[in-house]
Amino acid sequence: MVLFTLSFTFGVWLLQQQATLPDIGWAWLLVIPLSLLIITGNSRAGASWPATLSQARGERIKEGREPARSHLWQKIFRPLLIAACACGLGFYHAAWQAQQRLSISLADQWQGRDIEVIGVVAELPRSSDRGLRFAFNVEQTLTRVPGQKPVLSFVEGLSVPQARVPPHIYLSTYSAPQDAPLALRAGERWQLTLRLKQPHGSSNPHGFDFEAWALENKVRAVGYVQAKGDNHRIDAAASGLMYRIESWRETVREKFNATLAGAPYVGVLSALAIGDQGSIPQSQWQVFTRTGVNHLMSISGLHITMLASLGFALTHWLWRRSVRLTLWLPARRAAALVALLVALGYALLSGYGVPAQRTVYMVGAVAAALWLKRNFSLGQILSIALLGVLLPDPWAVLSPGFWLSFGAVALILYVTAHRVARSHWLKEYAIVQWAMTIGLVPMLLALFQQVSVVSPVANAFAIPLVSLVVVPLSLLGAVLPWNAPLWLAHIVMGFTMTILEWLNALPQAVWTQHAPPAWSIVTGMLGVLLILAPRGIPARWLGLVLMLPMFLNTPGSPAPNTLRMIIFDVGQGLAVAVQTHDHALLFDTGPDFSGDADSGNRILVPALRALGIDRLDGLILSHDDLDHTGGTTSVMQAMPIDWVASSLPDDSPLLQNFPHQAGQEMKGSRHCTDGDHWQWDGVQFNILHPRPNADTSIKPHDNDLSCVLRISIGSQHILIVGDIEKNSEQRLLETHAEQLPASLLVVPHHGSKTSSTPDFVAAVLPDYAVFTTGYRNRYGHPKAEIVQRYADSGAELLRSDEDGAILVAMDARGLTVERYRKTHQRYWTHQAYEQY
């Protein structure tokens, strides 16, 4: 079973790497290996042959009446057939699931149009600075298809078909000061007026794939509620078990917020009791992540296992005291059933994520073994859990939680199972902690490019405090009418946070590095298995040697006189990273999305670290617009920066950590000014705008203060111009006409009508024109006439909303570009409608 499950998992993973879905018709080829397996039968211990036939066959072999089959069949060919069948089944099962899911996507014709629907708030609404975010199950679409002829309906007479909207969508509300915000609650039925679009996320190296997340979570459209539409509640409580659970979760969250109003860790208690991880502030998540205890701050498998075990022990103890109950049902069976129900109930309250699913299926496998009076091996139990997760959700293999969850359980089994002697529980606890510390390093480096150095110490005290004290008290506070358990849980959590914050403040609390190559992750995992092998295995120290390539195989930097550049896909905004042989520069930091989420912590910092850039020699902030400076604080907090050049006012909060320097030394903060220049590793950098002594206090039209950067290697030039408008373009034509021709131009102001005058386009005459725009942005950028203007100039057009991040390599001979969304396409990758 283990071989079958691992091969099935590989097939599912293989499908998720495909750029297009395969033809399901080819699945019939699986009949060939399946037929071979059925014909030959299972000769291992008579698993599929009747015992009498197996014995008779064995006697014939011994008597020479039937030749013994080669061991090659038993040891090689038959396992290969099983693996091939399982891999194919996993591959085509995932493909079939994907076809079903993609078939319910929002049609192009309904993007950006008002649609009236009736449905139910399906999950806990999340509060943000701008309103609410929530999942919504559409039950009925009221908007009719325009221009469609009425058809005869026996129910309604003549009727016009409704618009087609996916059944599960994700929405936001935006509260204007003059409008009363919508008070939506989980489980309520509402009529809403929506504007929807197909799921479309940013596409960047080492970035989060929103479109994959949306596909896994059945979200086939996203959008917002029209504040001026006909939005009203129809029913306060829709029928359905899951809706009732969500409503109860919201009631618990409100109780926690009312009881612990203003308390710093109320969000953590909500996450532990009902899985509401969105209530934890980003600053606290950072502490948990850096100390390696973030797996505890949600309803994890550890917490579910603990409660299921408690339910098993308590039921078994009570059941045995009743003769009548014991005669009716053995105590162990009853206890196993209660443990499964406890695990399932707690998992449903948590949102039923991958760690929760894995635990429920493992508890279910143990319960089934007790009820069926059969012994399941630990490998079989883990296999059941693995199949239980992947059959309904083949996209789970794309989730870090999937690999960390199953990897952690596999490591625990590896270091604790099949040991000759039982150790003291404290020693076993230490062994498990050591296994988690060293064993998850390859996965953490591959997924996050960082490992907590203080994690062993943090987990040693946080696991018992959180799992054995805070979680039970939080659950008691959720179900009991008294508030004392919540306050006690908060006090213990406060004590835990005090120690975690002290550990977080230690120098080098976290090891961060580049993304290691895939082959080094494989060798690192082999090294982990060797290090954690039982005593008596020779040369276990070689495991450390196998792990070294993950740390030592650093990405190569550009050669002298060359550069690499990434024009990030940050939506409606701008962020450009430039790397030379020994230096790195960031031009703008993209937009602020909402609350604690911005381009810096979601896109730029992960990508820069993964590429091996752990510090910035320079940061240029073109001008004081949030779509160009929204990620600045996150970038400054994440990595050291030598200097900042900007057109921001001297008293800008973004510059508070960089004292203004008026001299020529490139340190601290300074205004970017026409005439500034420097050279890094044979690459020339020139600031062409704004003019010297420009008034940086101007706010209404500060687009014209945008810093303009020219990067040159020989006769090849790149021009990044921020949001300059016609006046600034005219000044550049008058003062720097000879420096404007460029091989690549980042188009000014995202393709707005206020920029890109014909004279400016004719002067630059770029080979490549890059529009940095958000998908279906509310400004309508880039404007069609501007796009046509660059097309008429002969430029090759690139757009971040259609092409993702633009990766550029340039030397004195020329430059090459890579469209990241095209070169890293998966079958779920949304293809934006090309407008040119």
Side-chain angles (χ1 to χ4, degrees):
M1 183 176 186
V2 174
L3 175 62
F4 177 89
T5 304
L6 292 178
S7 301
F8 185 89
T9 303
F10 177 75
V12 171
W13 175 86
L14 189 62
L15 187 277
Q16 311 306 345
Q17 313 309 310
Q18 304 305 307
T20 57
L21 286 176
D23 184 356
I24 297 295
W26 288 103
W28 69 269
L29 291 175
L30 293 174
V31 173
I32 298 174
L34 283 172
S35 300
L36 288 174
L37 284 173
I38 294 173
I39 291 171
T40 57
N42 188 347
S43 59
R44 295 181 58 188
S48 61
W49 288 73
T52 54
L53 293 179
S54 296
Q55 293 173 1
R57 182 174 176 274
E59 292 175 358
R60 291 197 303 271
I61 291 174
K62 290 179 180 179
E63 294 173 1
R65 290 182 291 156
E66 182 176 339
R69 290 180 178 177
S70 169
H71 285 290
L72 287 176
W73 170 254
Q74 298 294 333
K75 302 297 183 182
I76 299 178
F77 294 131
R78 187 173 180 281
L80 284 177
L81 273 177
I82 293 174
C85 287
C87 182
L89 287 172
F91 185 85
Y92 283 105
H93 169 74
W96 175 77
Q97 289 270 53
Q99 284 188 353
Q100 301 302 308
R101 190 68 55 85
L102 290 172
S103 66
I104 58 175
S105 299
L106 180 72
D108 286 335
Q109 69 187 80
W110 289 105
Q111 292 194 95
R113 297 173 58 178
D114 287 351
I115 305 176
E116 291 186 356
V117 300
I118 294 176
V120 181
V121 180
E123 295 178 3
L124 282 175
R126 314 282 184 187
S127 297
S128 67
D129 295 340
R130 302 169 187 175
L132 297 175
R133 299 191 303 273
F134 59 97
F136 192 73
N137 286 343
V138 178
E139 297 177 324
Q140 182 181 357
T141 306
L142 304 179
T143 301
R144 305 287 182 171
V145 179
Q148 184 77 28
K149 293 183 179 180
V151 295
L152 181 62
S153 169
F154 291 103
V155 178
E156 302 176 359
L158 289 176
S159 64
V160 178
Q162 287 92 352
R164 182 173 176 270
V165 176
H168 189 69
I169 58 182
Y170 200 76
L171 301 173
S172 300
T173 64
Y174 299 100
S175 302
Q178 67 274 13
D179 298 327
L182 289 178
L184 299 107
R185 294 175 57 86
E188 293 181 340
R189 180 174 286 109
W190 279 73
Q191 177 176 326
L192 301 173
T193 302
L194 310 176
R195 281 204 176 176
L196 301 175
K197 61 182 179 181
Q198 297 163 351
H200 184 99
S202 59
S203 181
N204 296 285
H206 306 282
F208 172 69
D209 193 336
F210 170 77
E211 293 161 38
W213 174 90
L215 187 66
E216 179 182 8
N217 288 274
K218 303 180 182 178
V219 175
R220 303 312 307 140
V222 297
Y224 62 92
V225 179
Q226 278 278 49
K228 297 181 180 179
D230 182 15
N231 306 313
H232 61 274
R233 189 178 69 181
I234 297 175
D235 191 348
S239 60
L241 175 62
M242 296 308 299
Y243 294 147
R244 298 298 173 87
I245 291 175
E246 291 298 324
S247 179
W248 185 82
R249 292 176 70 204
E250 188 166 16
T251 301
V252 172
R253 183 174 66 179
E254 290 176 347
K255 177 185 177 181
F256 279 33
N257 291 336
T259 303
L260 304 173
Y265 310 120
V266 61
V268 176
L269 301 188
S270 293
L272 294 174
I274 59 173
D276 182 25
Q277 299 182 42
S279 296
I280 301 179
Q282 183 65 29
S283 58
Q284 293 178 9
W285 267 124
Q286 186 175 7
V287 173
F288 299 147
T289 302
R290 287 175 56 84
T291 54
V293 300
N294 50 317
H295 64 99
L296 293 175
M297 302 309 155
S298 60
I299 300 180
S300 66
L302 177 64
H303 301 151
I304 296 175
T305 302
M306 178 200 68
L307 285 181
S309 300
L310 181 62
F312 181 93
L314 185 60
T315 304
H316 188 265
W317 183 79
L318 292 173
W319 202 273
R320 291 180 59 190
R321 273 141 183 81
S322 171
V323 176
R324 179 177 297 178
L325 290 176
T326 306
L327 290 175
W328 177 64
L329 185 67
R332 294 184 67 189
R333 289 190 181 183
L337 180 60
V338 170
L340 178 59
L341 292 176
V342 169
L344 179 60
Y346 194 26
L348 289 174
L349 293 180
S350 72
Y352 212 54
V354 169
Q357 294 177 43
R358 182 259 303 164
T359 307
V360 169
Y361 298 137
M362 291 186 71
V363 173
V366 174
L370 290 174
W371 275 74
L372 298 174
K373 298 180 181 180
R374 295 188 59 181
N375 290 324
F376 290 171
S377 69
L378 295 175
Q380 289 175 325
I381 292 175
L382 195 58
S383 297
I384 292 172
L386 196 56
L387 289 175
V389 170
L390 291 181
L391 284 174
D393 182 12
W395 300 277
V397 295
L398 302 173
S399 167
F402 173 86
W403 298 103
L404 293 175
S405 176
F406 280 99
V409 174
L411 284 171
I412 292 174
L413 297 180
Y414 182 70
V415 299
T416 59
H418 307 299
R419 294 300 190 257
V420 176
R422 297 285 297 178
S423 303
H424 189 272
W425 68 268
L426 191 59
K427 183 178 180 181
E428 285 197 359
Y429 181 70
I431 291 174
V432 169
Q433 286 304 308
W434 164 245
M436 293 297 99
T437 300
I438 193 71
L440 295 180
V441 166
M443 288 188 187
L444 291 172
L445 289 180
L447 296 171
F448 307 113
Q449 294 83 56
Q450 67 178 33
V451 176
S452 174
V453 178
V454 299
S455 173
V457 178
N459 279 281
F461 75 86
I463 287 178
L465 283 177
V466 173
S467 299
L468 301 179
V469 180
V470 178
V471 170
L473 288 174
S474 299
L475 290 174
L476 287 174
V479 299
L480 296 178
W482 308 301
N483 298 330
L486 288 180
W487 283 111
L488 289 174
H490 193 272
I491 291 171
V492 177
M493 193 66 227
F495 171 74
T496 306
M497 281 297 297
T498 300
I499 303 177
L500 292 177
E501 288 173 349
W502 177 78
L503 290 172
N504 177 59
L506 293 176
Q508 303 300 322
V510 178
W511 171 268
T512 58
Q513 64 159 63
H514 60 279
W519 66 265
S520 69
I521 298 297
V522 175
T523 61
M525 295 176 70
L526 294 175
V528 163
L529 296 178
L530 186 57
I531 293 171
L532 298 178
R535 289 183 180 180
I537 301 296
R540 289 189 296 165
W541 60 271
L542 286 176
L544 293 174
V545 177
L546 292 174
M547 293 182 70
L548 284 179
M550 295 188 301
F551 302 94
L552 301 180
N553 212 287
T554 58
S557 59
N561 301 306
T562 64
L563 69 78
R564 283 201 295 256
M565 185 173 78
I566 302 178
I567 306 171
F568 287 100
D569 176 12
V570 293
Q572 186 70 13
L574 179 65
V576 182
V578 181
Q579 184 183 15
T580 66
H581 183 65
D582 290 320
H583 298 82
L585 170 74
L586 186 63
F587 187 102
D588 282 343
T589 60
D592 175 28
F593 299 133
S594 64
D596 296 324
D598 57 60
S599 297
N601 53 32
R602 293 298 175 89
I603 298 175
L604 304 182
V605 172
L608 293 175
R609 281 179 174 168
L611 295 171
I613 300 174
D614 57 0
R615 66 175 296 114
L616 292 173
D617 296 277
L619 169 63
I620 297 178
L621 301 176
S622 63
H623 64 297
D624 196 10
D625 270 0
L626 198 58
D627 60 333
H628 291 252
T629 62
T632 301
T633 301
S634 295
V635 173
M636 288 180 172
Q637 291 175 349
M639 57 182 57
I641 302 172
D642 283 355
W643 54 263
V644 176
S646 73
S647 62
L648 275 61
D650 295 337
D651 59 352
S652 171
L654 295 177
L655 305 178
Q656 60 184 349
N657 295 324
F658 288 86
H660 182 70
Q661 301 288 334
Q664 294 299 316
E665 184 182 5
M666 299 294 282
K667 296 291 181 183
S669 171
R670 58 187 292 117
H671 292 302
C672 53
T673 304
D674 183 3
D676 290 345
H677 61 89
W678 64 96
Q679 188 179 87
W680 284 341
D681 311 313
V683 181
Q684 183 66 36
F685 297 80
N686 293 82
I687 299 292
L688 306 183
H689 187 77
R691 66 182 184 276
N693 302 318
D695 185 1
T696 59
S697 64
I698 299 175
K699 185 64 179 176
H701 302 288
D702 61 357
N703 284 345
D704 276 325
L705 289 175
S706 293
C707 305
V708 174
L709 176 66
R710 181 178 188 254
I711 308 172
S712 304
I713 304 176
S715 60
Q716 303 297 319
H717 312 286
I718 293 173
L719 201 59
I720 309 174
V721 297
D723 281 356
I724 61 170
E725 298 185 351
K726 297 176 180 178
N727 292 336
S728 298
E729 291 179 356
Q730 184 59 37
R731 179 188 173 274
L732 289 171
L733 289 169
E734 294 172 355
T735 58
H736 295 292
E738 74 287 351
Q739 293 180 290
L740 291 183
S743 304
L744 183 145
L745 169 69
V746 180
V747 174
H749 203 185
H750 320 292
S752 167
K753 288 182 180 180
T754 60
S755 308
S756 299
T757 60
D759 290 343
F760 179 78
V761 175
V764 178
L765 207 62
D767 297 324
Y768 297 93
V770 182
F771 297 90
T772 56
T773 56
Y775 176 65
R776 299 188 67 87
N777 64 87
R778 60 193 178 102
Y779 306 102
H781 293 161
K783 298 299 183 180
E785 60 202 76
I786 302 301
V787 172
Q788 189 62 48
R789 190 171 296 165
Y790 282 101
D792 292 342
S793 74
E796 183 173 343
L797 308 181
L798 302 100
R799 293 175 48 159
S800 59
D801 58 344
E802 295 179 1
D803 300 315
I806 308 299
L807 281 60
V808 181
M810 186 174 78
D811 58 22
R813 295 170 297 178
L815 60 80
T816 60
V817 299
E818 175 188 347
R819 308 170 190 235
Y820 191 82
R821 179 176 284 271
K822 309 295 185 183
T823 57
H824 291 74
Q825 179 178 328
R826 295 292 183 265
Y827 68 83
W828 61 80
T829 302
H830 179 244
Q831 300 299 322
Y833 174 73
E834 295 193 3
Q835 303 179 37
Y836 54 82

